[in-house]
């Protein structure tokens, strides 16, 4: 145990496992043209309308000239320094004849919609736009992830859920929350209530993923919610695959990798990236790497425990005849790499399945061994039977009554239930990663007053209506 501990401490310096930064894509910024019904940001001759009944928190980055503004009964404008509104006398020559611009309703954007998140290994990658592709269940935040709402943006997200939603941290407006009490406090603030809505048990302050072989995301409890936001394409390949954690069947290839304790999830991701995905011929391929729990079954029926393995999902963007072909070629390369170098990188074996119907179990190398084994096995069986028959005839062996065998359908049922949640390796808490990362408060971001009306100050407009100051948020 002491040794294991040392190894883990040492590994702390290496990039950690499959915990990711997950960043929410949509915003409710005044300057984002997609937030306006006319498709452009209102200018000097325009009238600005926020729907009266809609709760919204709008971030304003710069100064604007408009003709007028109707505000919602409950909402806020967060003004960056230098931002504000002026009414121009005599019109704005660059603005056309003037329209009434409505701010679009952000109400329906859901936390569990996989298309509304991007993921990256580091904050730098997030800023650079170097994103990771994931299966649907892992496209939304997982328990070990850091959730980021972009600095300089506000948003409104529906966090409705029937299950716990643990995450490691949540960053809002440049402030990172790592403790659950601090975050609950934020949720009950005016901005918090406008930004997060719906009843949920979103909890920050979860542990980091301290297992260098990777951690299981475990969003399977929210699978139905996640998949209800996903529309699956119709497929043209022969044998579509069902990757663990994905809402849709796919054309492509899946490599299943058996690892040992010296395996490092993040290093393996980088290896595949550098060895293969950076090759010109593979540049269109999307790769999703996850640690998954797989039910082990005797004779494919009787469950006898679960093992963890690494699932490498490979998708090409091809359709029709070619769907999945390129992914299959890459899968063969990945399996070949394991045959050549597996021992050095903590991988004991790997096999692939492709949507063309091909798989590594029919690969040439193995078949000779399988045939020899089968022949030996049947010879042994015949020999054993002969011996038993002889002993029986001599009265040495009596045939016992057969114990009743449980029906196969029963076995199958219980194995299906087991498949939903195998044992998880939660690792152990690492105090190094539990420190609060306090970010400096940004003065001037909010109107500091909490006055029950619209206030205009140097730093901004702030309006709070106490009548509507109720929340549907059970934090
Ligand atoms: C504007 O909003 C859309 C959708 O909400 C988002 O995809 C886009 O990144 C935003 N644009 C900017 C410049 O932030």
């Amino acid at each position: 145990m002491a040794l294991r501990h040392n190894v883990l401490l040492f590994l702390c310096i290496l990039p950690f496992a499959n915990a990711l930064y997950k960043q929410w894509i949509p915003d409710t910024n005044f300057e984002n043209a997609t937030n306006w019904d006319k498709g452009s940001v209102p200018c000097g001759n325009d009238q600005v309308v926020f729907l009266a009944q809609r709760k919204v928190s709008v971030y304003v980055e710069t100064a604007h000239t408009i003709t007028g503004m109707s505000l919602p009964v409950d909402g806020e404008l967060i003004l960056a320094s230098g931002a504000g509104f002026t009414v121009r006398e005599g019109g704005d020559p660059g603005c056309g004849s003037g329209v009434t611009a409505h701010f679009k309703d952000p109400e329906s954007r859901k936390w569990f919609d996989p298309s509304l998140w991007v993921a990256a290994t580091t904050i730098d990658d997030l800023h650079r736009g170097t994103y990771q592709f994931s299966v649907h269940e892992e496209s939304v935040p997982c328990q070990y992830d850091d959730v980021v709402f972009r600095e300089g943006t506000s948003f409104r997200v529906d966090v409705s859920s029937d299950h716990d939603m643990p995450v490691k941290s949540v960053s809002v407006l440049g402030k990172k929350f790592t403790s659950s009490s601090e975050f609950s406090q934020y949720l009950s603030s005016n901005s918090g209530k406008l930004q997060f809505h719906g009843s949920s048990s979103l909890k920050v302050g979860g542990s980091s993923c301290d297992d260098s072989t990777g951690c299981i995301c475990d969003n399977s409890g929210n699978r139905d919610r996640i998949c209800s936001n996903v529309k699956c394409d119709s497929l043209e390949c022969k044998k579509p695959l069902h990757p663990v954690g994905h809402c849709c069947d796919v054309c492509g290839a899946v490599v299943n990798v058996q690892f040992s304790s010296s395996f490092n999830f993040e290093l393996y991701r980088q290896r595949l990236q550098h060895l293969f995905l950076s090759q010109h011929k593979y540049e269109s391929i999307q790769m999703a790497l996850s640690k998954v729990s797989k039910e082990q079954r005797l004779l494919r029926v009787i469950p006898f425990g679960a093992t963890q393995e690494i699932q490498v999902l490979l998708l090409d963007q091809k359709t029709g005849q070619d769907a999945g072909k390129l992914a299959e070629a890459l899968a063969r390369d990945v399996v070949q790499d394991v045959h050549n170098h597996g021992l050095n990188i903590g991988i004991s074996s790997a096999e692939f399945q492709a949507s063309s119907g091909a798989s590594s179990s029919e690969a040439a190398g193995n078949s000779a061994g399988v045939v020899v084994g089968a022949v030996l096995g049947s010879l042994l069986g015949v020999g054993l039977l002969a011996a038993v028959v002889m002993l029986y005839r001599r009265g040495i062996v009596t045939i016992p009554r057969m114990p009743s065998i449980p029906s196969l359908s029963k076995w199958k049922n219980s194995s299906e239930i087991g498949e939903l949640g195998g044992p998880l390796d939660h690792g152990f808490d690492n105090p190094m990663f539990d420190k609060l990362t306090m970010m400096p408060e940004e003065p001037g971001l909010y109107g500091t007053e909490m006055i029950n009306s619209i206030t205009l100050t140097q730093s901004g407009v702030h309006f709070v209506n106490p009548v509507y100051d109720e929340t549907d948020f059970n934090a």
Side-chain angles (χ1 to χ4, degrees):
M1 192 58 210
L3 180 70
R4 183 169 148 80
H5 209 105
N6 284 337
V7 169
L8 281 172
L9 282 179
F10 164 70
L11 286 173
C12 287
I13 354 172
L14 290 172
F16 249 126
N18 46 346
L20 294 170
Y21 290 88
K22 301 255 168 84
Q23 184 172 271
W24 178 250
I25 298 170
D27 61 54
T28 47
N29 282 23
F30 193 91
E31 285 80 8
N32 190 329
T34 66
N35 287 329
W36 297 96
D37 64 339
K38 301 284 188 301
S40 61
V41 180
C43 50
N45 301 334
D46 295 342
Q47 182 80 26
V48 171
V49 177
F50 293 95
L51 285 181
Q53 304 310 323
R54 286 297 169 217
K55 301 181 180 189
V56 71
S57 162
V58 175
Y59 191 90
V60 188
E61 292 160 76
T62 57
H64 294 271
T65 324
I66 50 173
T67 317
M69 188 188 284
S70 340
L71 296 165
V73 278
D74 187 9
E76 69 176 358
L77 295 174
I78 301 173
L79 301 188
S81 75
F85 297 95
T86 46
V87 176
R88 178 173 294 179
E89 301 292 329
D92 179 352
C95 184
S97 56
V99 293
T100 303
H102 291 263
F103 195 80
K104 281 199 210 156
D105 183 9
E107 205 65 12
S108 60
R109 292 167 182 165
K110 297 200 168 60
W111 175 280
F112 284 119
D113 184 342
S115 68
L116 298 183
W117 297 92
V118 287
T121 329
T122 62
I123 284 277
D124 282 344
D125 279 350
L126 262 192
H127 293 157
R128 270 197 294 267
T130 310
Y131 302 135
Q132 301 290 337
F133 174 69
S134 307
V135 293
H136 292 124
E137 280 179 25
E138 300 183 23
S139 297
V140 306
C142 303
Q143 55 183 329
Y144 302 103
D145 289 339
D146 292 287
V147 174
V148 179
F149 293 91
R150 271 177 295 140
E151 226 171 304
T153 66
S154 195
F155 54 90
R156 184 160 170 84
V157 53
D158 178 358
V159 288
S160 303
S161 165
D162 347 279
H163 292 88
D164 274 355
M165 298 160 66
V167 294
K168 194 169 138 233
S169 74
V170 173
S171 301
V172 178
L173 290 162
K175 179 167 167 55
K176 185 172 180 179
F177 296 94
T178 53
S179 92
S180 104
S181 58
E182 241 191 324
F183 187 62
S184 315
Q185 211 176 337
Y186 181 74
L187 287 179
S188 54
S189 73
N190 190 52
S191 297
K193 283 186 287 194
L194 292 170
Q195 290 165 338
F196 298 89
H197 71 107
S199 70
S200 98
S201 32
L202 180 55
K203 294 241 157 38
V204 311
S207 60
S208 344
C209 170
D210 286 352
D211 183 345
S212 59
T213 68
C215 295
I216 293 182
C217 168
D218 197 27
N219 260 342
S220 51
N222 294 309
R223 183 181 172 86
D224 291 347
R225 261 182 201 275
I226 294 168
C227 292
S228 69
N229 295 304
V230 176
K231 208 177 144 282
C232 296
D233 295 329
S234 62
L235 300 174
E236 296 176 81
C237 46
K238 202 160 103 196
K239 271 181 116 177
L241 305 166
H242 335 279
V244 176
H246 211 53
C247 296
C248 305
D249 285 1
V250 296
C251 298
V254 171
V255 185
N256 291 305
V257 173
Q258 314 292 324
F259 60 92
S260 66
S261 57
S262 60
F263 177 74
N264 182 298
F265 189 95
E266 191 46 39
L267 292 183
Y268 189 55
R269 187 210 298 278
Q270 288 171 16
R271 179 186 181 86
L272 296 178
Q273 188 70 43
H274 292 143
L275 274 183
F276 303 115
L277 295 178
S278 60
Q279 287 181 30
H280 179 64
K281 62 175 170 174
Y282 290 140
E283 70 189 1
S284 66
I285 290 209
Q286 291 180 307
M287 174 182 83
L289 208 59
S290 14
K291 186 186 246 190
V292 299
S293 179
K294 274 261 174 87
E295 188 85 26
Q296 293 289 91
R297 289 178 203 186
L298 195 62
L299 305 173
R300 296 178 185 236
V301 181
I302 305 161
F304 66 96
T307 53
Q308 298 189 337
E309 60 185 34
I310 305 301
Q311 171 179 277
V312 186
L313 168 62
L314 301 168
L315 301 179
D316 48 41
Q317 321 288 324
K318 307 279 195 303
T319 50
Q321 288 279 307
D322 290 338
K325 292 261 172 64
L326 191 62
E328 181 178 333
L330 175 52
R332 289 179 192 277
D333 283 357
V334 170
V335 169
Q336 191 58 47
D337 179 47
V338 168
H339 284 165
N340 297 343
H341 305 287
L343 284 181
N344 303 330
I345 53 176
I347 296 179
S348 49
S349 68
E351 51 184 27
F352 78 89
Q353 297 222 299
S355 54
S356 66
S359 70
S360 47
S361 50
E362 31 179 87
N366 289 340
S367 52
V370 171
V371 171
V372 172
V375 170
L376 271 181
S378 47
L379 283 180
L380 260 178
V382 171
L384 200 66
L385 190 66
V388 170
V389 168
M390 235 163 72
L391 293 175
Y392 175 68
R393 283 203 175 154
R394 294 182 182 183
I396 297 172
V397 170
T398 54
I399 296 178
R401 285 237 315 280
M402 293 294 280
S404 61
I405 301 169
S407 78
L408 282 185
S409 63
K410 196 168 152 205
W411 279 108
K412 208 161 176 181
N413 262 335
S414 64
S415 68
E416 271 161 18
I417 292 163
E419 206 162 43
L420 289 175
L424 299 180
D425 183 3
H426 287 288
F428 49 78
D429 289 352
N430 185 331
M432 280 179 65
F433 288 81
D434 273 343
K435 289 205 196 84
L436 295 184
T437 320
M438 293 299 292
M439 309 289 270
E441 292 275 357
E442 284 185 55
L445 258 187
Y446 310 90
T448 41
E449 309 75 2
M450 293 295 252
I451 299 170
N452 299 331
S453 64
I454 300 165
T455 347
L456 276 162
T457 66
Q458 274 175 314
S459 62
V461 187
H462 197 95
F463 48 94
V464 178
N465 187 329
V467 178
Y468 291 85
D469 203 10
E470 33 86 45
T471 179
D472 49 353
F473 206 96
N474 325 323

